[in-house]
Amino acid sequence: MFKTDNNGRSESEKPCAIEVNGVSKCFRIPHEKRVTVYDNIIGKITGKSYTYEVFEALNDVTFSVKEGETFGIIGENGSGKSTILKIISKVFVADTGSVKVKGKIAPFLELGVGFQPELTAVENVYLYGAIMGMNRAEMDAKLDSIFEFAELDRFRDTKLKNYSSGMYARLAFATAISVDPDVLLLDEVLAVGDQAFQAKCRYKINEYKRNGKTIVFVSHSIEAVKEICDNCLMLSNGNVVSIGPTENVISDYLNAVNKKEVERLLNQYENTKDAIEKDNVDPSINWGSKEAKIVDIKFFNNHSESYIFQTGQKFIARIKYKTNQRIEKPVFGVAIYKDNVHITGPNTKLCKMDIDFIDGEGEIDFIVDKLPLLDGPYKFSAAIYDDSCQHPYDHQHCAHGFEIKNLSAKNYGLFDIQGQWLSK
Ligand SMILES: Nc1ncnc2c1ncn2[C@@H]1O[C@H](COP(=O)(O)OP(=O)(O)OP(=O)(O)O)[C@@H](O)[C@H]1O
């Protein structure tokens, strides 16, 4: 079945609301800071001119957004998301390339661009309305609903410089939606305010979607992007690295984030491992008589080595060991911690797995078919003890770690206990 809009047009027939073509933008970052008039005069007298570093915030960015589409922009901090929104809304001018926007555009940008801190909230609302081409009578009619939506009625006459960043953002969002734009630019709107305000914003955004308005939505919340956006763009260091249906772009984004996270976790473990080998580690991390040593710990999912898992996924911890003599009846144990809370600590003896002896090099796996842990970073300990579990040969406490990252939250807390609801 073909998806059509309110005018019966299919996706491909819809005209573009925004066309961004080959946009690049550089910023000049001064090497020295001249704050006072004195600094500047001295600079002139000594003939020292400013030296700058040129920083490329956007490089040849091209994309288009169809009328009625909700388009997400994602990427790590500093990747250029806000800069491209500011160029679309004409707050910044691109160095090269072009931007075409069809219809009335309303930016809700970080800290409400155009707002003046020295003016009161009401004065700022009139100012925003004037910038958006609305006359005073039109804004008079909207004033109550703006302050009601922003939940700031008591603070109408407060100067904006005395607003908290949350109040500022609530006013900016309420004002931006009040001018009934054709194109709404939203930057991290769902990151401000409490849960109730965020739910109100979500409702409003969905109402805009239903009314066929075009939305460009910048957010760090992958869940919000997944819920709201039809298509997405991923930026990395000012470059477009992925563009297309939201699911695909989010998958590319998570892969990139995971890759970085894995590198960080492995680096951390390699450093600890190195320190343990050189016997140069905090005794609260590693202790034991060392006739048997843990030489490596690796984690695997169903298919491959991994350090980022999803709740319910297979989890294998592979412990590599080495002994310098025959060790009779060793006991291998592991433990998982979150925020210093000891979550679990199984060992081979408790699990009735008798190991007669170990001698030389070997590996042992601790396998969980469906890991029940919920989102967050976890620390992992591994140890080899004697049969009495009193004498440690090698105990590596929280030396390694892994993360659980679920795309959509299914539960709160530490565990997914797979409960069911029954209404009676
Ligand atoms: N006015 C400016 N002068 C100098 N550098 C700037 C300016 N505005 C942005 N930048 C730099 O450009 C880069 C991109 O910034 P931008 O705010 O677009 O990133 P972002 O993806 O929105 O980041 P975040 O997720 O942290 O909000 C950053 O390195 C930032 O420091």
Side-chain angles (χ1 to χ4, degrees):
M1 207 172 86
F2 290 108
K3 226 170 125 187
T4 55
D5 66 2
N6 298 345
N7 299 318
R9 296 171 302 191
S10 72
E11 290 297 328
S12 57
E13 285 167 343
K14 285 186 199 167
C16 283
I18 302 171
E19 282 177 87
V20 174
N21 224 318
V23 163
S24 297
K25 175 80 186 168
C26 289
F27 290 110
R28 292 198 303 174
I29 304 166
H31 280 139
E32 60 181 310
K33 203 172 173 184
R34 289 183 193 171
V35 183
T36 61
V37 175
Y38 176 80
D39 290 343
N40 277 307
I41 293 169
I42 292 298
K44 287 254 182 321
I45 293 170
T46 54
K48 273 195 201 155
S49 56
Y50 271 118
T51 54
Y52 295 97
E53 195 173 309
V54 175
F55 174 79
E56 194 171 47
L58 292 173
N59 175 30
D60 196 15
V61 172
T62 298
F63 64 92
S64 59
V65 182
K66 298 253 174 171
E67 263 181 33
E69 185 178 322
T70 304
F71 190 83
I73 303 181
I74 56 178
E76 73 255 14
N77 288 125
S79 54
K81 304 181 295 294
S82 301
T83 304
I84 192 68
L85 282 200
K86 285 176 185 164
I87 288 174
I88 295 172
S89 58
K90 297 197 169 63
V91 174
F92 287 162
V93 179
D95 296 339
T96 55
S98 64
V99 175
K100 276 190 215 155
V101 180
K102 208 172 141 202
K104 184 159 75 175
I105 187 166
F108 161 87
L109 301 173
E110 283 169 298
L111 301 184
V113 165
F115 278 1
Q116 300 301 316
E118 285 299 333
L119 299 180
T120 66
V122 170
E123 287 164 346
N124 268 294
V125 170
Y126 280 116
L127 180 67
Y128 189 92
I131 293 168
M132 297 301 297
M134 325 263 305
N135 63 35
R136 191 169 177 101
E138 283 170 310
M139 286 318 281
D140 279 345
K142 292 177 186 293
L143 212 56
D144 285 347
S145 63
I146 291 175
F147 281 94
E148 192 188 323
F149 188 92
E151 296 166 23
L152 291 168
D153 210 32
R154 284 169 51 216
F155 303 97
R156 281 179 184 230
D157 298 317
T158 305
K159 283 190 177 176
L160 234 55
K161 66 179 180 188
N162 297 321
Y163 265 37
S164 71
S165 57
M167 290 160 81
Y168 206 120
R170 270 157 39 194
L171 182 69
F173 182 71
T175 313
I177 56 169
S178 76
V179 299
D180 194 29
D182 303 303
V183 177
L184 191 60
L185 304 182
L186 300 173
D187 194 350
E188 287 297 356
V189 62
L190 295 176
V192 297
D194 52 26
Q195 296 268 336
F197 188 76
Q198 286 184 17
K200 236 161 67 167
C201 290
R202 271 192 156 83
Y203 182 81
K204 233 358 185 201
I205 292 168
N206 281 320
E207 193 177 280
Y208 263 77
K209 260 178 89 95
R210 282 195 299 277
N211 291 339
K213 305 280 182 167
T214 310
I215 303 171
V216 181
F217 183 72
V218 165
S219 179
H220 283 284
S221 162
I222 294 304
E223 263 185 59
V225 169
K226 197 177 165 207
E227 176 195 323
I228 293 168
C229 301
D230 308 309
N231 288 302
C232 264
L233 162 81
M234 174 185 165
L235 289 173
S236 177
N237 297 323
N239 292 289
V240 176
V241 289
S242 177
I243 186 163
T246 301
E247 290 266 323
N248 302 353
V249 178
I250 285 182
S251 160
D252 288 345
Y253 176 70
L254 289 179
N255 282 339
V257 172
N258 287 355
K259 207 167 148 227
K260 269 197 176 163
E261 199 55 29
V262 165
E263 273 167 22
R264 190 187 63 78
L265 285 166
L266 285 178
N267 245 335
Q268 220 173 34
Y269 178 57
E270 283 304 319
N271 289 340
T272 312
K273 212 166 78 170
D274 202 41
I276 290 173
E277 261 168 38
K278 292 185 178 130
D279 209 10
N280 182 25
V281 74
D282 188 325
S284 66
I285 294 177
N286 181 231
W287 60 92
S289 56
K290 299 290 167 89
E291 292 88 345
K293 280 184 189 174
I294 292 164
V295 290
D296 197 26
I297 303 168
K298 281 188 165 58
F299 304 122
F300 296 83
N301 58 25
N302 256 337
H303 324 283
S304 52
E305 191 175 343
S306 180
Y307 293 82
I308 312 277
F309 294 84
Q310 298 240 350
T311 304
Q313 221 183 1
K314 187 160 189 158
F315 171 89
I316 303 171
R318 183 156 298 157
I319 299 159
K320 215 171 167 181
Y321 62 83
K322 196 177 179 179
T323 72
N324 58 15
Q325 63 183 66
R326 184 180 159 111
I327 305 280
E328 302 296 332
K329 296 202 173 303
V331 177
F332 286 86
V334 298
I336 297 174
Y337 286 79
K338 186 171 188 203
D339 302 328
N340 290 326
V341 175
H342 187 181
I343 294 171
T344 184
N347 69 42
T348 47
K349 190 165 179 166
L350 286 170
C351 297
K352 306 259 180 280
M353 177 188 178
D354 289 328
I355 303 169
D356 284 342
F357 69 90
I358 50 172
D359 194 4
E361 289 181 13
E363 284 180 355
I364 185 161
D365 283 355
F366 172 67
I367 304 165
V368 183
D369 280 336
K370 287 184 177 176
L371 198 62
L373 302 174
L374 291 171
D375 284 56
Y378 290 85
K379 293 272 186 200
F380 188 85
S381 304
I384 314 174
Y385 275 71
D386 75 342
D387 190 37
S388 70
C389 292
Q390 297 300 313
H391 176 84
Y393 294 115
D394 193 6
H395 191 135
Q396 297 190 2
H397 175 69
C398 292
H400 210 349
F402 60 88
E403 284 209 25
I404 308 282
K405 262 192 196 149
N406 290 298
L407 201 49
S408 48
K410 293 191 187 78
N411 212 328
Y412 295 108
L414 276 179
F415 290 105
D416 185 13
I417 58 168
Q418 302 264 327
Q420 285 172 23
W421 294 96
L422 185 64
S423 168
K424 290 188 171 179

